[in-house]
């Protein structure tokens, strides 16, 4: 498909509308063989190729100007039980909400993948994949049994490789690289197979975690009633509760939460937390979190609501419309300092933007995630307790780009001013998460630390990822501004 085709515009449009590109060729792939054919033609012609599943990348990895051929995987969206592999097969074009719906309605199981309903699993799983339930079940790649990948050899010829986690698999390193190595690095994933380790059964209802209905409590506090001290107390208490209650095996890991410290233009900040209805004493644990968070803060809730949420309820999977974005992320091993919280408070009152969607969000990690060795998968973040998401919200007009991008860049830089403007791994910081890519981490203007971008995303796992890159993508066909470089 080329420009002029009536379908062209719908396939080149990205979720982050800050970025756009008009490639010479778009291939709507339907099989691995189809992908291999398109890759072979692009490589033979010397054209830069990129691959897209859901199109939710926060940076321009599929839309930078050098991309001449785009391979679209959105139509490869089948989700089914593969009896031969004793695993669930998931196409790279499968979308989060429909996939969870199919798995739960068909077999009562789930994958701990993104909370955003419209994210494509093709790129999401590659970076690790997490959601609220990862404290209980681990991340998506902890359940990845095998992956089918189209790679390009030194001779320029594509080939289809199936790599599994089996110890005797000659392509096991390729499987390992896809357990957190990020998208656009080694080849084109055309199928995932999901099965929880240790499950040696042919019964599909036992091969992945079980989905369950949730008890949810949501509390909001009005900015009109919050002083800087009360805000600091709420954030500090929240972080410290997760310091105390994130060890693998602790009963409190069944409590998930998301603290939305929203910009003052939103009028409120809020904490949403939940626990499975099947957990004995779950509601008491849930209330224990809220009691701990508000202790000593001296504030009253503006709203306090409780609900029971069915697993496949639409509200279980958040979503947002397309728009212009610039977001950043970091992991926490311990609570922010009061100085860092004061910086967050200052930016939430900064009137250079007035976007109710702007926030610093802290989502719970730990638990089952941290029961896995940091080198067992490419996903290295196995000692974090929280993941912070810095966003100026979504905006529409290009004229507003400068203000929104500047706000989030400066906020992030100042929160991490003691470590060179970025979350250099130390006693407090745990680095950054590649599924929220941020090219600023590779820019010396914004990263003044001595830690390179790949040290923030991959830590000590980066050299092994480079070796896999050299073996399976020796021509460096798959590249973007934060792609893994061959050794």
């Amino acid at each position: 498909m080329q420009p002029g085709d009536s379908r062209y515009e719908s396939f080149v449009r990205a979720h982050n509308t800050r970025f756009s590109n008009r490639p010479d060729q778009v291939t709507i792939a339907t099989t691995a063989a189809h992908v291999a054919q398109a890759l072979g033609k692009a490589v033979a012609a010397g054209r830069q190729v990129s691959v897209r599943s859901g199109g939710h990348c926060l940076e321009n990895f599929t839309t930078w100007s050098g991309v001449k051929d785009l391979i679209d995987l959105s139509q490869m969206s089948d989700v089914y039980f593969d009896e031969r592999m004793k695993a669930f097969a998931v196409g790279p074009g499968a979308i989060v909400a429909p996939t969870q719906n199919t798995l739960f309605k068909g077999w009562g199981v789930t994958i701990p993948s993104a909370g955003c309903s419209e994210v494509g699993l093709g790129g999401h799983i590659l970076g690790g994949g997490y959601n609220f339930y990862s404290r209980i079940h681990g991340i998506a790649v902890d359940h990845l049994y095998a992956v089918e990948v189209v790679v390009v050899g030194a001779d320029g010829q594509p080939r289809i490789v199936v790599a599994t986690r089996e110890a005797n698999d000659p392509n096991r390193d390729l499987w390992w690289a896809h357990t957190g190595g990020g998208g656009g690095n080694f080849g084109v994933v055309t199928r995932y197979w999901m099965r929880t380790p240790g499950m040696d059964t042919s019964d599909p209802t036992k091969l992945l975690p079980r989905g369950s209905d949730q008890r949810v409590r949501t509390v909001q506090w009005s900015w009109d009633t919050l002083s800087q001290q009360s805000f600091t107390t709420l954030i500090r208490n929240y972080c410290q509760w997760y310091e105390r209650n994130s060890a693998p095996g602790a009963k409190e890991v069944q409590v998930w939460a998301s603290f939305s410290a929203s910009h003052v233009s939103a009028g409120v900040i809020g904490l949403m937390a939940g626990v499975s209805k099947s957990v004995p004493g779950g509601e008491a644990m849930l209330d224990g979190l809220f009691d701990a968070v508000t202790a000593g803060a001296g504030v009253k809730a503006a709203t306090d609501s409780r609900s029971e949420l069915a697993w496949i309820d639409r509200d279980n999977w958040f979503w947002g419309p397309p728009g212009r974005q610039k977001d950043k992320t970091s992991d926490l091993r311990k609570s922010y300092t009061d100085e860092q919280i004061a910086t967050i408070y200052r930016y939430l009152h900064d009137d250079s933007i007035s976007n109710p969607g702007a926030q610093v969000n802290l989502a719970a990690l730990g638990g089952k995630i941290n029961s896995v060795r940091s080198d067992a998968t490419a996903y290295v973040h196995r000692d974090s307790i929280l993941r912070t998401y810095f966003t100026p919200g979504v905006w529409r007009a290009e004229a507003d780009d400068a203000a929104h991008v500047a706000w989030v860049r400066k906020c992030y830089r100042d929160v991490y001013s003691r470590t060179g403007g970025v979350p250099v791994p130390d006693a407090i910081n745990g680095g950054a998460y590649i599924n929220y890519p941020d090219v600023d981490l590779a820019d010396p203007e914004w990263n003044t630390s001595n830690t390179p971008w790949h040290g923030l995303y991959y830590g000590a796992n980066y050299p092994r990822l480079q070796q896999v890159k050299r073996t399976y993508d020796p021509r460096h066909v798959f590249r973007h501004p934060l792609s893994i470089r061959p050794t």
Side-chain angles (χ1 to χ4, degrees), residues 33-371:
H34 196 182
V35 170
Q37 181 184 39
L39 267 179
K41 289 180 178 179
V43 171
R47 298 194 303 269
Q48 178 59 47
V49 66
S50 189
V51 185
R52 179 183 294 166
S53 55
H56 277 243
C57 184
L58 295 177
E59 291 289 3
N60 66 336
F61 292 175
T62 65
T63 54
W64 58 284
S65 60
V67 173
K68 302 302 180 185
D69 280 34
L70 177 66
I71 299 177
D72 184 279
L73 306 176
S74 62
Q75 302 308 296
M76 299 177 67
S77 57
D78 288 350
V79 178
Y80 60 94
F81 178 63
D82 186 331
E83 293 185 359
R84 181 180 62 86
M85 296 287 275
K86 293 183 181 179
F88 288 94
V90 178
I95 303 300
V96 166
T99 300
Q100 298 289 8
N101 188 63
T102 296
L103 291 173
F104 185 72
K105 285 187 173 179
W107 300 275
V109 299
T110 184
I111 301 170
S113 61
C116 180
S117 64
E118 296 179 352
V119 165
L121 290 172
H124 177 72
I125 291 176
L126 285 173
Y130 83 104
N131 65 13
F132 290 150
Y133 314 112
S134 290
R135 279 171 59 84
I136 311 165
H137 301 306
I139 59 175
V141 294
D142 293 338
H143 305 273
L144 180 62
Y145 173 69
V147 61
E148 179 183 74
V149 193
V150 183
V151 299
V152 178
D155 58 0
Q157 296 301 307
R159 59 191 178 96
I160 301 170
V161 179
V162 173
T164 75
R165 65 175 175 234
E166 300 293 346
N168 61 353
D169 189 329
N171 294 303
R172 190 178 190 277
D173 272 356
L174 185 62
W175 165 85
W176 180 88
H178 286 83
T179 61
N185 281 311
F186 310 103
V188 183
V189 175
T190 51
R191 188 178 290 112
Y192 297 103
W193 284 276
M194 311 298 295
R195 185 176 83 206
T196 301
M199 295 297 180
D200 186 19
T201 176
S202 58
D203 182 353
T205 67
K206 298 179 180 178
L207 290 177
L208 286 172
R210 302 288 294 178
S212 59
D213 294 350
Q214 302 288 305
R215 288 190 173 95
V216 179
R217 183 179 176 187
T218 303
V219 174
Q220 292 184 318
W221 298 276
S222 171
W223 268 120
D224 292 339
T225 65
L226 290 172
S227 65
Q228 181 171 340
Q229 183 56 52
S230 59
F231 176 83
T232 299
T233 301
L234 289 172
I235 298 295
R236 186 201 308 125
N237 287 348
Y238 175 76
C239 292
Q240 290 180 349
W241 192 90
Y242 278 98
E243 281 188 45
R244 298 189 301 270
N245 296 290
S246 294
K251 65 178 182 179
E252 290 84 358
V253 303
Q254 297 172 100
V255 177
W256 54 263
S258 174
F259 197 124
S260 297
S262 301
H263 190 268
V264 68
S265 60
V268 295
I269 64 173
L271 171 59
M272 178 180 66
V275 64
S276 171
K277 287 177 62 178
S278 63
V279 173
E283 192 159 4
M285 282 193 288
L286 194 60
D287 290 343
L289 165 64
F290 282 88
D291 290 344
V293 169
T294 56
V299 294
K300 291 185 178 180
T303 64
D304 186 345
S305 62
R306 298 173 187 265
S307 61
E308 292 189 357
L309 193 62
W311 180 253
I312 56 174
D313 191 290
R314 181 181 179 86
D315 289 340
N316 228 337
W317 311 102
F318 304 131
W319 63 280
R324 306 179 78 82
Q325 295 176 258
K326 173 63 179 178
D327 306 313
K328 295 172 177 284
T329 186
S330 63
D331 277 14
L332 283 173
R333 291 167 170 163
K334 291 187 177 179
S335 173
Y336 280 126
T337 66
D338 284 4
E339 180 183 7
Q340 289 175 304
I341 298 173
T343 300
I344 293 171
Y345 179 88
R346 173 163 57 88
Y347 275 95
L348 295 179
H349 285 77
D350 181 354
D351 62 4
S352 64
I353 63 170
S354 182
N355 188 335
Q359 63 176 282
V360 177
N361 179 279
L362 295 99
L365 295 178
K368 186 72 171 180
I369 304 171
N370 295 0
S371 67

